[in-house]
Amino acid sequence: MKIAVLSGKGGTGKTLVSVNLASAAKEAIYMDCDVEEPNGRLFFKPKNITSESVSIKIPFADQKLCIGCRKCIDFCKFNAIAFIINKVIVFDDVCHSCGGCVLFCPEKALSEKDKIIGEVQSGVSENVSVITGILNTGEASGVPLIKKLLNNNLAGKALTFIDCPPGSACIVMESIKDADYCLMVAEPTLFGVHNLNMVYELVKLFKKPHAAVLNKCLEGENPAEDFCREKDIKILGKIPFDSELGTLNSNALISVRENQKYRDMFSSMLQIVAKEVQHETVANS
Amino acid sequence: MKIAIPVDDKSTETSVCQSFGRTPYYLIYDTESKESVFLDNSAAASQGGAGIKAAQTIVDSKVSALLTPRCGENAADVLKAANIKLYKTVNASIQDNIDALNDGKLSLLEDIHPGFHGHGG
């Protein structure tokens, strides 16, 4: 069972929710797909780490074979290739590794070479297997890294939480693509509603069963809750705006492992989530 | 010699555009014949790599120098590979900059910025 935890912006509580739900489970797998800023590992501090580098294919030009037809340059939507004084110049950092230029080259002057873009680290933290994708700074896209990460043998072997990147762009789509269920984390502000709506539209587009968890809840008005009611989105949990929880979290501690109160809160949330996921996936299978 | 300047409009009254890669037009000016030609910058609407594509246009127009307020590093790499000199514009006026170049008063553009890349993808 794979549950993707996502939100329309950063700092909403994706990592808080996924790290604590995974910790509350008897056995779980936590996959950090927020490859530009993977921070779940700061909480889990996993041991026995093994790491595997991830590479992509980028074009490599044989200048002797190039006739200067520029078909590669015209094809490249990312403008990663230039032709200067009879020489093909490839901008590795701009290339999105689609391979189109190599296919289009009539002289076979372009071939592919490997370029390492990051790594996948696997380790263990008590009851949780922690798998982290780490993209090297400056790389154009984390998608190939997330693909590799989610292909890990462990994925889905136990209750799996996929901690998604923020937003609703390609890397988020890649992260939720194979998920059985999507959990959207939202903040109780108008801005939070705007961001919730972004991921809500995305999960609908992907036809994923979904629900919301409301974070930083205060007494009184909650625009995110109103939005959920209006759109008929189930709310599976409400996390209070609580300085003790905030302090634990900002010290990179897992609240479930530190305090019985939070263990109880996330355990009951986990039960509701697990029941809901089971119900939805049976209904959709 | 032929020079290029990023400009806001296709007219001799126009001013220097603040962006090299995403300027709407380039003025290609011949300092000997004093002829002006305007080029559309097809890179202006690019999702990414605008500087590289724009620099390719400039290289293909066979100019010897580019006068610009600033330039990103990818574009600068292309221009330098083509041995095009980069000069820093002194103000927004086309004529002032051409005069300054003719008088040898323009300095080379030294501060190449790392680009304003979005996240692509």
Side-chain angles (χ1 to χ4, degrees):
Chain A
M1 199 69 73
K2 288 182 258 183
I3 303 168
V5 180
L6 67 167
S7 71
K9 75 170 189 67
T12 307
K14 290 178 296 298
T15 300
L16 173 80
V17 168
S18 40
V19 164
N20 280 285
L21 286 180
S23 299
K26 206 165 141 227
E27 189 195 355
I29 295 152
Y30 167 85
M31 302 185 116
D32 203 340
C33 285
D34 190 2
V35 297
E36 289 177 19
E37 298 277 1
N39 62 346
R41 60 189 172 149
L42 302 180
F43 294 92
F44 282 118
K45 303 167 184 73
K47 296 193 169 66
N48 305 327
I49 288 177
T50 54
S51 112
E52 192 185 350
S53 60
V54 178
S55 55
I56 53 166
K57 300 281 185 199
I58 56 162
F60 170 76
D62 183 340
Q63 309 291 351
K64 289 195 294 291
L65 295 177
C66 176
I67 54 163
C69 70
R70 299 193 182 202
K71 285 196 172 135
C72 54
I73 294 171
D74 294 340
F75 174 79
C76 185
K77 287 287 168 286
F78 297 98
N79 303 316
I81 316 174
F83 186 70
I84 308 298
I85 320 187
N86 298 320
K87 222 177 141 200
V88 179
I89 303 178
V90 177
F91 285 83
D92 295 359
D93 293 343
V94 181
C95 174
H96 280 53
S97 197
C98 73
C101 56
V102 177
L103 292 175
F104 269 77
C105 180
E107 301 299 317
K108 309 232 177 306
L110 289 171
S111 50
E112 291 183 317
K113 63 171 183 182
D114 283 331
K115 182 197 177 196
I116 292 174
I117 58 159
E119 61 177 310
V120 173
Q121 282 186 357
S122 307
V124 179
S125 170
E126 298 179 24
N127 58 326
V128 183
S129 296
V130 180
I131 304 165
T132 306
I134 307 165
L135 185 69
N136 291 344
T137 307
E139 288 304 331
S141 169
V143 170
L145 187 52
I146 292 169
K147 274 196 172 109
K148 178 84 181 179
L149 176 70
L150 294 175
N151 253 334
N152 191 293
N153 289 334
L154 283 174
K157 288 273 162 63
L159 188 59
T160 302
F161 289 94
I162 301 169
D163 193 355
C164 294
S168 54
C170 304
I171 44 173
V172 181
M173 298 186 207
E174 194 62 42
S175 304
I176 69 166
K177 212 174 64 185
D178 296 323
D180 300 300
Y181 198 85
C182 287
L183 211 50
M184 304 175 287
V185 185
E187 284 177 352
T189 61
L190 287 176
F191 186 45
V193 170
H194 172 81
N195 293 303
L196 174 59
N197 191 31
M198 277 165 53
V199 281
Y200 172 61
E201 286 183 8
L202 184 72
V203 297
K204 274 200 306 185
L205 189 70
F206 276 68
K207 299 190 169 58
K208 296 286 179 190
H210 54 267
V213 169
L214 305 181
N215 191 16
K216 306 179 194 177
C217 293
L218 292 157
E219 292 289 316
E221 194 182 10
N222 187 334
E225 190 169 6
D226 297 342
F227 178 84
C228 290
R229 290 237 170 78
E230 191 189 308
K231 301 285 180 187
D232 213 11
I233 302 167
K234 274 187 192 157
I235 297 168
L236 302 189
K238 283 167 111 177
I239 302 168
F241 188 73
D242 175 75
S243 69
E244 198 183 345
L245 180 61
T247 305
L248 285 171
N249 207 49
S250 58
N251 286 320
L253 294 169
I254 299 172
S255 64
V256 162
R257 290 181 183 172
E258 298 296 323
N259 185 319
Q260 189 60 39
K261 180 171 72 178
Y262 300 120
R263 174 165 284 278
D264 293 346
M265 181 176 85
F266 281 104
S267 295
S268 69
M269 196 189 299
L270 179 67
Q271 273 179 13
I272 297 167
V273 169
K275 206 173 132 196
E276 191 62 29
V277 171
Q278 211 135 33
H279 171 74
E280 282 287 344
T281 45
V282 166
N284 286 297
S285 61
Chain B
M1 94 174 160
K2 273 178 26 173
I3 62 164
I5 308 175
V7 292
D8 289 324
D9 253 307
K10 271 182 167 173
S11 102
T12 43
E13 306 299 306
T14 185
S15 50
V16 177
C17 179
Q18 283 304 305
S19 168
F20 164 70
R22 294 194 185 270
T23 183
Y25 311 103
Y26 294 102
L27 165 65
I28 308 295
Y29 180 78
D30 190 320
T31 53
E32 275 116 54
S33 70
K34 311 223 177 326
E35 254 181 284
S36 295
V37 180
F38 292 93
L39 281 185
D40 286 345
N41 176 20
S42 58
S46 291
Q47 202 181 17
I52 299 168
K53 190 174 187 184
Q56 179 80 59
T57 305
I58 294 303
V59 172
D60 294 344
S61 66
K62 304 215 170 0
V63 300
S64 311
L66 169 72
L67 280 53
T68 181
R70 51 187 193 186
C71 182
E73 62 185 357
N74 285 340
D77 283 350
V78 171
L79 297 166
K80 282 175 184 165
N83 299 317
I84 292 173
K85 280 211 165 76
L86 274 72
Y87 291 99
K88 189 169 173 61
T89 48
V90 285
N91 59 22
S93 155
I94 304 296
Q95 199 54 52
D96 285 0
N97 283 293
I98 291 173
D99 291 345
L101 179 74
N102 286 336
D103 298 345
K105 283 181 183 158
L106 280 190
S107 52
L108 290 172
L109 181 73
E110 306 279 356
D111 49 337
I112 302 300
H113 68 78
F116 302 109
H117 312 134
H119 290 281

